[in-house]
């Protein structure tokens, strides 16, 4: 294999064959191709894209000789969801136990916070004792016994993606539709799923802020999933404001528990139910209305909250968190943020909020940073709301005065108050499948 020739072909907008991708990435996994050549190749892919025919070859190469989960012997549908990431996006914490409580197997493999967005693993790890680093065997056994496991990527799953992702992170080659699609789907397709729901975020807080490109990303992932026999549906959901009120790891767990008990903010409940209906339909339900009622009953009747307790217990965490949020680590300081003027809340921008959480210690600025689970915000201000000067709009949870200052500056930037009408994006804008896109009724 002559690697400079392959790089040159991508540079000149040509395509590699599936065999070439497989051979090249296998050699990379074994340390026979250096990072600098793969970096050059990634940049050529970033700039010139991949042809539709070429992408499955890259996907195979990323999955490499990695391990996978196999739930064949369960004899029931196995469904997961994946979000492209946002601020306050705690849907996975509610959805996985909820759908498992309805009898569907959910082997949920999630990630950590990335950039300004939070990560499900960091949120779960704010529950004392909760272990997200489980082996494939332990995960399979737990899914068989409890119906759900909530874990991080194991070393065996899509090992080449892991190496490539680390390289992309430091070579400015993350925001590429084919590279993101192959990376996400290499992990999801290793989970042995029969169905997958994608939550593709739209708006200023999403990684890809251009709506047309978000749709292209959704289409690309749907095609990769369907071609591998995994039925794949995408919902396009709003990330032009934080989802729910709580933003920050332990605070989001507390809000998720409220939602699992049938309460919590309306927008969180709505997105969770919309994705839950899709998951149940992929699992074989035939009536969307009945699927929604099934989910609502699991929330109201306490089965979803009990399932979360079972999952926490199975993974070494303290299940008392479901009855008593005081079990979660608590912030040293709590301060109120009041409206600096009267008017209409025109915007609550997610990015300054997400960035402030990272700065306050709730995310990582370096790979080895230790996350403080206690910090963050509970923001009650919603776009469209009329507010009086001095009215409380948010609570700040911080470690010390300096972080409170960072948080106040972020809220000054994020919460825009003025005159006129707010124009938030629809919460769930569209549903995409392999056959096309349909709007979702408000
Ligand atoms: N998440 C992933 O797993 N991969 C990407 O490339 C981007 C987000």
């Amino acid at each position: 294999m002559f690697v400079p020739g392959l790089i040159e072909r991508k540079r000149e907008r040509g395509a590699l064959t599936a065999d070439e991708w497989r051979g090249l990435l296998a050699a990379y996994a074994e340390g026979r191709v250096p990072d600098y050549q793969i970096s050059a190749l990634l940049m050529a892919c970033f700039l010139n894209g991949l042809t539709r025919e070429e992408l499955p070859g890259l996907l195979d190469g990323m999955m490499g000789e990695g391990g996978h989960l196999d739930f064949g012997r369960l004899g029931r549908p196995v469904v997961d969801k994946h979000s492209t990431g946002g601020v306050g996006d705690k849907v996975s914490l509610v959805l996985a136990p909820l759908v498992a409580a309805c009898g569907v197997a959910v082997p949920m493999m999630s990630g950590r916070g990335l950039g300004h967005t939070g990560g499900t693993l960091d949120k779960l790890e704010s529950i004392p004792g909760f272990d997200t680093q489980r082996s494939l065997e332990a995960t399979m056994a737990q899914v068989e016994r409890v119906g759900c496991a909530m874990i991080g990527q194991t070393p065996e799953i899509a090992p080449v993606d892991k190496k490539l992702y680390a390289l992309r992170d430091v070579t400015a080659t993350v925001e590429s539709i084919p590279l993101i699609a192959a990376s996400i789907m290499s992990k999801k397709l290793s989970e042995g799923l029969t169905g997958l729901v994608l939550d593709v975020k739209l708006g200023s807080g999403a990684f890809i802020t251009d709506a047309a490109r978000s749709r292209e990303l959704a289409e690309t992932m749907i095609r990769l999933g369907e071609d591998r026999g995994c039925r794949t549906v995408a919902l396009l959901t709003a990330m032009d404001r934080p989802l729910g009120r709580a933003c920050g790891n332990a605070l989001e767990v507390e809000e998720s528990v409220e939602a699992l008990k049938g309460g919590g903010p309306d927008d969180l409940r709505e997105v969770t139910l919309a994705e839950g209906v899709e998951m149940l339909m992929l699992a074989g339900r035939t009536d969307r209305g009945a699927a929604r009622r099934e989910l609502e009953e699991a929330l109201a009747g306490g089965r979803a909250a009990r399932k979360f307790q079972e999952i926490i217990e199975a993974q070494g965490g303290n299940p008392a968190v479901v009855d008593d949020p005081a079990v979660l680590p608590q912030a040293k300081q709590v301060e109120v943020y009041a409206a600096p003027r009267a008017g209409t809340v025109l915007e609550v921008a997610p990015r300054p909020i997400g960035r402030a959480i990272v700065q306050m210690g709730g995310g990582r600025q370096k790979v080895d940073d230790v996350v403080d689970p206690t910090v963050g915000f509970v923001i009650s201000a919603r776009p469209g709301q009329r507010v009086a000067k001095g009215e409380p709009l948010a609570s700040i949870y911080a470690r010390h005065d300096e972080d409170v200052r960072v948080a106040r500056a972020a809220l000054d930037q994020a919460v825009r108050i003025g005159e006129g009408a707010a124009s938030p994006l629809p919460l769930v804008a569209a549903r995409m499948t392999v056959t096309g896109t349909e709007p979702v009724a408000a």
Side-chain angles (χ1 to χ4, degrees), residues 303-333:
R303 279 190 296 121
R306 277 199 301 282
K307 185 57 73 181
F308 193 40
Q309 262 175 332
E310 276 180 60
I311 297 164
I312 296 171
E313 208 160 7
Q315 295 186 225
N318 184 352
V321 74
V322 172
D323 298 319
D324 179 12
V327 164
L328 289 165
Q330 306 289 316
K332 290 204 179 71
Q333 265 179 259

Side-chain angles (χ1 to χ4, degrees), residues 90-101 124 127 150 252-265 268-269 272 295-312 321-322:
K90 58 206 68 87
V91 171
S92 291
L93 270 67
V94 189
L95 190 61
L98 171 59
V99 172
L124 287 169
I127 300 172
M150 300 175 84
E252 291 191 41
V253 170
E254 183 171 345
E255 187 166 273
S256 302
V257 168
E258 283 171 32
L260 277 164
K261 291 175 171 172
L268 172 61
R269 179 178 167 89
T272 305
L295 294 163
E296 286 169 343
E297 280 162 20
L299 292 172
R303 279 190 296 121
R306 277 199 301 282
K307 185 57 73 181
F308 193 40
Q309 262 175 332
E310 276 180 60
I311 297 164
I312 296 171
V321 74
V322 172

Side-chain angles (χ1 to χ4, degrees), residues 4 42 85 133 143 191 202-203 227-228 239 260 280 291 304 310 321 334 345 354 377 433:
L42 286 170
Q133 305 305 300
V143 172
E191 286 179 22
L202 298 180
D227 285 351
R228 303 290 159 117
M239 190 35 70
L260 277 164
L280 290 191
E310 276 180 60
V321 74
V334 184
V345 176
F377 298 86
T433 66

Side-chain angles (χ1 to χ4, degrees), residues 196-276:
L196 173 64
V197 175
L198 298 166
D199 179 350
V200 176
K201 299 293 185 194
L202 298 180
S204 63
F207 270 119
I208 293 186
T209 52
D210 178 76
R213 278 174 40 85
S214 296
R215 284 170 195 265
E216 191 186 332
L217 174 62
E219 269 165 22
T220 307
M221 291 194 286
I222 290 170
R223 209 173 46 237
L224 287 176
E226 294 276 345
D227 285 351
R228 303 290 159 117
C230 172
R231 290 185 56 211
T232 307
V233 175
L235 294 182
L236 303 182
T237 72
M239 190 35 70
D240 58 340
R241 67 269 188 190
L243 185 64
R245 291 184 284 262
C247 304
N249 296 306
L251 297 166
E252 291 191 41
V253 170
E254 183 171 345
E255 187 166 273
S256 302
V257 168
E258 283 171 32
L260 277 164
K261 291 175 171 172
D266 290 346
D267 57 348
L268 172 61
R269 179 178 167 89
E270 227 12 80
V271 174
T272 305
L273 288 172
E275 293 180 21

Side-chain angles (χ1 to χ4, degrees), residues 359-429:
Q359 250 183 297
M360 291 156 73
R364 291 174 194 80
Q365 303 193 51
K366 301 191 291 319
V367 271
D368 52 356
D369 279 349
V370 176
V371 165
D372 183 328
T374 66
V375 304
F377 298 86
V378 175
I379 304 172
S380 56
R382 307 311 294 165
Q385 184 186 338
R386 287 293 299 174
V387 295
K389 185 173 177 194
E391 183 176 330
L393 299 184
S395 298
I396 295 165
Y397 294 75
R399 294 180 293 189
H400 42 62
D401 288 344
E402 171 55 20
D403 285 350
V404 174
R405 199 192 54 72
V406 167
R408 285 195 188 284
L411 286 164
D412 285 343
Q413 197 190 343
V415 186
R416 202 157 53 83
I417 300 174
E419 294 310 323
S423 47
L425 291 172
L427 192 56
V428 184

